[in-house]
Amino acid sequence: MESNPYNSPSANLFGSSSQTTTEAVPSEAITQLQRTKPWVRFFGVMMWIGSMLMLLGGAAFLLLALIGLTSPAATGMPKEMMVGMAGGYIVVGFLYIYPTIKIWGYGTAIGRLVSSRSADDLVKALDMQRSFWKFVGIMMIILFSMYFLMFIAMIALGATGALNNLPMPK
């Protein structure tokens, strides 16, 4: 590029003028993310363990209910209730897998960022973190909505006296 000596001087206030996407990330940002990585990995491992235990627990409930090793006298629950609990455990176990993959990917992206110091890797790491928190937020909204609906249903059942007529386990 030719320089015109008659133009007034100017400075790029936003760093490098190159159009490359491999601009360096500030070392302070990398250090903070690097200090976060062990905790991200810890939660990732705990979430993997939790989801696998939920799936195993659901499979165990389902197996016990289906082969008939349970009776209301032994467990205090009818067979249908155990099948329902098994389904609930399995659904929750599978719901834990998606955020677990995202938090694990976030930790992996931090590792790539530490070695490459690339802005692209920073963006990928932050996108993994964003998708993790988006899922958690959506699930929180669903959970609170379910709590609210159950609260309203309990009030309605209590107001009509229907709760007094429900059979209680012996």
Side-chain angles (χ1 to χ4, degrees):
M1 181 174 152
E2 291 184 13
S3 175
N4 184 348
Y6 301 108
N7 280 345
S8 60
S10 65
N12 184 352
L13 301 176
F14 302 105
S16 172
S17 64
S18 69
Q19 297 297 323
T20 63
T21 58
T22 58
E23 296 174 4
V25 176
S27 62
E28 296 85 9
I30 292 174
T31 301
Q32 293 302 321
L33 287 171
Q34 190 174 18
R35 291 173 59 195
T36 304
K37 185 180 175 185
W39 290 107
V40 169
R41 283 290 187 219
F42 172 73
F43 279 101
V45 168
M46 292 296 108
M47 288 174 72
W48 277 119
I49 291 171
S51 64
M52 292 305 122
L53 287 175
M54 293 291 279
L55 292 172
L56 286 173
F61 270 128
L62 188 60
L63 183 66
L64 289 173
L66 292 179
I67 62 174
L69 290 180
T70 62
S71 68
T75 62
M77 290 185 272
K79 185 178 183 179
E80 295 79 14
M81 184 181 279
M82 288 199 64
V83 170
M85 286 180 58
Y89 270 84
I90 290 170
V91 167
V92 170
F94 277 117
L95 281 176
Y96 274 29
I97 291 175
Y98 179 79
T100 302
I101 290 170
K102 291 302 180 181
I103 201 80
W104 195 264
Y106 176 50
T108 302
I110 290 172
R112 280 194 307 266
L113 172 65
V114 168
S115 62
S116 74
R117 299 185 149 341
S118 142
D120 285 341
D121 286 333
L122 175 63
V123 169
K124 288 175 188 169
L126 293 174
D127 188 52
M128 292 298 264
Q129 185 189 44
R130 177 203 54 81
S131 58
F132 169 79
W133 287 113
K134 178 181 176 183
F135 182 83
V136 170
I138 290 169
M139 292 310 296
M140 186 65 65
I141 291 168
I142 291 170
L143 182 67
F144 280 142
S145 299
M146 288 173 55
Y147 284 161
F148 179 73
L149 292 175
M150 285 191 291
F151 179 72
I152 297 298
M154 295 303 280
I155 289 174
L157 288 173
T160 61
L163 287 178
N164 296 331
N165 297 329
L166 291 178
M168 299 303 284
K170 295 175 186 164

